[in-house]
Amino acid sequence: MNQDQQEKVRQLVEVLDHALSTAGCGVLDALNAVSVMSTSLAHSMNLAKDEYMGNLEMMFDMTNPQKQAIVQEEDENE
């Protein structure tokens, strides 16, 4: 391999190294974005679950005669 060919190979290796490095950073950024989105989704799901459970509890309280009697007694005491 002559001097000119060696220089071209060295330049190609530098270009490929830079391209792979840049692609690697892109992949890491994408993985980070997925991580942030999954954390946000998990938080939203927890909020939705809490709201759903609160609504279920309220519906149960409204249909539970014992709970209704306690609420009526508290209302009368006020």
Side-chain angles (χ1 to χ4, degrees):
M1 197 181 276
N2 65 28
Q3 185 81 17
D4 188 44
Q5 289 174 327
Q6 287 179 345
E7 180 61 24
K8 286 182 181 180
V9 168
R10 186 190 66 73
Q11 288 175 351
L12 180 61
V13 167
E14 284 181 12
V15 168
L16 287 174
D17 181 55
H18 179 71
L20 290 174
S21 172
T22 302
C25 288
V27 169
L28 288 176
D29 287 344
L31 287 174
N32 188 37
V34 168
S35 174
V36 168
M37 288 185 331
S38 66
T39 301
S40 177
L41 177 62
H43 180 68
S44 295
M45 289 175 69
N46 270 340
L47 290 175
K49 177 195 62 109
D50 291 345
E51 184 174 343
Y52 176 76
M53 294 305 288
N55 288 341
L56 268 179
E57 185 178 340
M58 187 172 59
M59 286 171 42
F60 177 75
D61 289 348
M62 290 172 58
T63 59
N64 183 348
Q66 290 177 321
K67 184 67 175 183
Q68 285 181 341
I70 292 171
V71 170
Q72 285 176 349
E73 186 177 313
E74 287 175 353
D75 287 345
E76 290 170 0
N77 289 340
E78 289 178 359

